């Protein structure tokens, strides 16, 4: 069987990429190990995605944004960053940005469902579910995929969108740099008696980080990041003890708190592919860059990666060029690498500073917040990064990916 493009992985990156190719003449195959039922009704996984304005624009262009229910979209109108036990906050709001919100919070499962709905039924996209990839490779003229059912398919371009721990990336000989933070995120939703006023909090307490992300009504997404050695103990606290601990750490700002649904555990490992392309091969989404959640770059970078690759593919088609050629793929790599590498390194530096509890680091942490708060040009840059209204502006917002 021969296709123009084979995409491995039907997560948001793979689905959005397939949707972006829906108006082309290309024959696209999307391969996913999950069932069709799971794609149509993804399970709640505790992850809430902080979307930039750019990501919202891309979702609207694809039609996915229109599939979301109003109750599933929560505007983030302000953000506060705290350090240690200090009440001093680094504040961001949308008063000076001319926007209705800094960003928007949407459950990950709702985004996955929305993208599947706009991909299902597209004429030039074929979807194979409950199929895994046994092997991959490429030659001068084509790439190939050996599927678990014994089928071998060929294509002009093979694209991996199968997570930050991509097995196909490894098999295609694309190395990646990984950073294990030895920390784990405990994620859940909590109800509270006082309103959050659509404000996000990132609390860099000593020994742990606590993120509060505003959802609809008096409901918030809670992200507790702790040493992996402590994670199971905290995860297995009774619901009452867990809620009391969060309530105390917030000093009662949200009133009485109560768990809403299950808690989830996510070990934190950041990944950046050393290159994004190979022979007739490219990586997008988390297979290209998997970020630490503290700055919420991950999902937004994933959408940008597929958009950038799509742009180069459509440009090549308009000029009659080979879409899998090195010339086409190199342009994608150069563009996306320029955006992601500084963000990846910068995020890891932020994590290193704000999870270091020695005396010198504590002084540096407090100084950093005060400088950012009081030096107007720097704060404006960070705010522009937060909103990501323009395509050349990266994103910075406490949250989870």
């Amino acid at each position: 069987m021969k296709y123009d493009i084979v995409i491995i992985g039907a997560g948001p990156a793979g689905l959005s990429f397939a949707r972006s190719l829906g108006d082309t003449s290309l024959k696209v195959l999307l391969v996913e190990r999950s069932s069709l039922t799971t794609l149509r009704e993804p399970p709640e996984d505790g992850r809430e995605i902080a979307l930039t304005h750019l990501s919202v624009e891309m979702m609207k262009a694809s039609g996915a944004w229109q599939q979301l229910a109003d109750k599933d979209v929560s505007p983030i109108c302000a953000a506060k960053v705290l350090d240690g036990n200090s009440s001093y906050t680094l504040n961001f709001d949308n008063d000076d940005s001319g926007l209705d919100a800094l960003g928007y919070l949407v459950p990950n499962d709702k985004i996955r469902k929305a993208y599947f709905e706009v991909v299902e039924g597209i004429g030039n996209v074929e979807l194979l579910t409950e199929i895994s990839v046994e092997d991959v490779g490429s030659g001068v003229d084509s790439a190939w995929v050996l599927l678990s059912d014994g089928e071998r398919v060929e294509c002009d371009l093979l694209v991996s969108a199968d997570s930050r721990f991509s097995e196909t990336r490894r098999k295609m000989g694309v190395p990646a740099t990984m950073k294990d933070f030895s920390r784990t995120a405990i994620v859940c939703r909590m109800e509270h008696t006082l309103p959050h006023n659509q404000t996000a909090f990132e609390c860099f307490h000593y020994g742990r980080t606590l993120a509060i992300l505003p959802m609809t009504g008096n409901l918030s997404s809670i992200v507790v990041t702790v040493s992996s050695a402590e994670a199971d103990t905290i995860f297995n606290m009774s619901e009452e003890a867990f809620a009391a601990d969060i309530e105390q750490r917030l000093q009662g700002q949200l009133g009485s708190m109560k768990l809403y649904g299950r808690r989830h555990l996510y070990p934190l490992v950041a990944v950046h592919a050393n290159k994004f392309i190979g022979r007739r091969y490219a990586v997008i989404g988390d297979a290209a860059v998997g970020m630490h959640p503290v700055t919420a770059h991950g999902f937004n970078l994933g959408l940008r990666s597929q958009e950038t690759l799509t742009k180069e593919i459509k440009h090549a088609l308009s000029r009659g060029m080979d879409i899998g050629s090195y010339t086409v793929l190199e342009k994608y790599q150069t563009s996306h690498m320029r955006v992601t590498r500084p963000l990846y390194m910068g995020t890891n530096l932020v994590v290193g500073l704000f999870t270091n509890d020695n005396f010198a680091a504590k002084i540096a942490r407090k100084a950093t917040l005060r400088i950012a708060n009081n030096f107007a040009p720097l704060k404006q840059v960070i705010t522009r990064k937060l909103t990501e209204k323009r395509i050349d502006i990266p994103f910075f917002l406490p949250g989870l990916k």
Side-chain angles (χ1 to χ4, degrees):
M1 297 177 66
K2 180 69 187 293
Y3 295 85
D4 295 302
I5 297 177
V6 172
I7 307 167
I8 302 172
L15 287 169
S16 59
F17 183 47
R19 177 63 184 87
S20 296
L21 298 170
D23 60 352
T24 70
S25 60
L26 297 173
K27 186 179 179 182
V28 179
L29 176 66
L30 187 56
V31 180
E32 170 58 39
R33 65 175 64 203
S34 299
S35 68
L36 189 61
T37 299
T38 299
L39 289 177
R40 283 178 174 155
E41 296 294 338
E44 182 271 319
D45 60 11
R47 293 182 291 181
E48 315 298 331
I49 306 301
L51 296 169
T52 66
H53 287 267
L54 175 61
S55 291
V56 171
E57 290 171 11
M58 285 189 278
M59 289 190 68
K60 286 180 178 179
S62 71
W65 182 261
Q66 292 83 334
Q67 303 300 313
L68 298 172
D70 290 343
K71 64 182 179 62
D72 293 325
V73 179
S74 305
I76 301 174
C77 297
K80 298 179 181 293
V81 183
L82 298 90
D83 177 63
N85 299 318
S86 172
S87 61
Y88 183 82
T89 60
L90 170 59
N91 300 304
F92 299 97
D93 57 47
N94 61 329
D95 290 345
D96 298 327
S97 63
L99 302 170
D100 60 345
L102 296 174
Y104 302 88
L105 198 71
V106 181
N108 182 58
D109 58 295
K110 303 303 182 184
I111 293 176
R112 294 173 67 97
K113 178 179 172 64
Y115 267 113
F116 179 77
E117 289 173 346
V118 296
V119 168
E120 190 175 29
I122 293 179
N124 66 323
V125 177
E126 180 180 346
L127 176 63
L128 287 181
T129 59
E130 298 184 74
I131 293 288
S132 59
V133 174
E134 295 295 319
D135 203 2
V136 291
S138 64
V140 175
D141 298 321
S142 65
W144 54 268
V145 180
L146 180 62
L147 302 174
S148 57
D149 63 356
E151 189 80 48
R152 177 186 165 107
V153 298
E154 294 189 355
C155 55
D156 294 324
L157 175 62
L158 174 63
V159 177
S160 288
D162 54 345
S163 89
R164 67 187 64 196
F165 304 112
S166 172
E167 183 68 13
T168 53
R169 181 187 64 212
R170 185 187 64 80
K171 288 183 176 181
M172 289 298 290
V174 173
T177 299
M178 296 190 182
K179 183 172 179 58
D180 188 340
F181 295 96
S182 297
R183 297 178 74 80
T184 297
I186 302 169
V187 185
C188 63
R189 296 169 182 171
M190 298 189 77
E191 294 179 305
H192 37 83
T193 56
L194 297 180
H196 45 51
N197 297 317
Q198 302 307 132
T199 299
F201 292 85
E202 186 77 62
C203 309
F204 291 103
H205 295 146
Y206 301 137
R208 69 176 65 181
T209 299
L210 174 61
I212 312 295
L213 304 174
M215 300 181 71
T216 304
N218 281 14
L219 187 67
S220 290
S221 172
I222 309 296
V223 186
V224 182
T225 305
V226 297
S227 165
S228 294
E230 302 177 75
D232 284 340
T233 299
I234 297 172
F235 182 78
N236 291 317
M237 292 171 68
S238 69
E239 292 189 6
E240 295 75 15
F242 183 85
D245 180 70
I246 299 298
E247 186 178 323
Q248 184 272 328
R249 290 179 181 278
L250 286 175
Q251 300 179 346
Q253 291 186 70
L254 295 179
S256 299
M257 303 190 72
K258 180 182 178 181
L259 269 171
Y260 183 87
R262 298 170 49 222
R263 284 169 281 188
H264 304 262
L265 279 175
Y266 292 101
L268 300 181
V269 179
V271 178
H272 196 293
N274 295 352
K275 56 182 183 175
F276 295 151
I277 63 173
R279 185 169 58 182
R280 295 196 170 275
Y281 176 71
V283 290
I284 61 173
D286 277 4
V289 184
M291 300 286 286
H292 187 288
V294 71
T295 52
H297 289 99
F299 181 87
N300 298 285
L301 286 179
L303 282 189
R304 181 179 289 198
S305 68
Q306 63 83 26
E307 183 192 53
T308 303
L309 181 55
T310 298
K311 176 183 175 182
E312 296 304 333
I313 288 172
K314 289 183 175 180
H315 180 73
L317 285 174
S318 69
R319 300 196 169 201
M321 297 172 62
D322 179 356
I323 62 170
S325 69
Y326 178 82
T327 300
V328 173
L329 299 182
E330 173 63 16
K331 291 179 180 179
Y332 158 66
Q333 175 172 258
T334 299
S335 178
H336 199 48
M337 193 71 73
R338 187 185 304 118
V339 172
T340 62
R341 193 179 293 279
L343 289 177
Y344 179 82
M345 296 174 66
T347 297
N348 290 349
L349 285 174
V350 168
V351 173
L353 174 61
F354 282 92
T355 57
N356 188 334
D357 296 334
N358 67 36
F359 179 75
K362 288 179 180 179
I363 297 298
R365 286 162 60 160
K366 295 183 187 303
T368 299
L369 292 190
R370 290 184 180 274
I371 291 171
N373 222 15
N374 294 290
F375 185 55
L378 175 59
K379 193 170 184 180
Q380 290 171 2
V381 168
I382 296 175
T383 302
R384 288 199 301 270
K385 290 180 180 180
L386 188 153
T387 59
E388 199 184 33
K389 184 62 176 177
R390 294 180 299 172
I391 196 165
D392 61 336
I393 297 296
F395 181 56
F396 180 94
L397 183 67
L400 179 70
K401 167 64 185 77

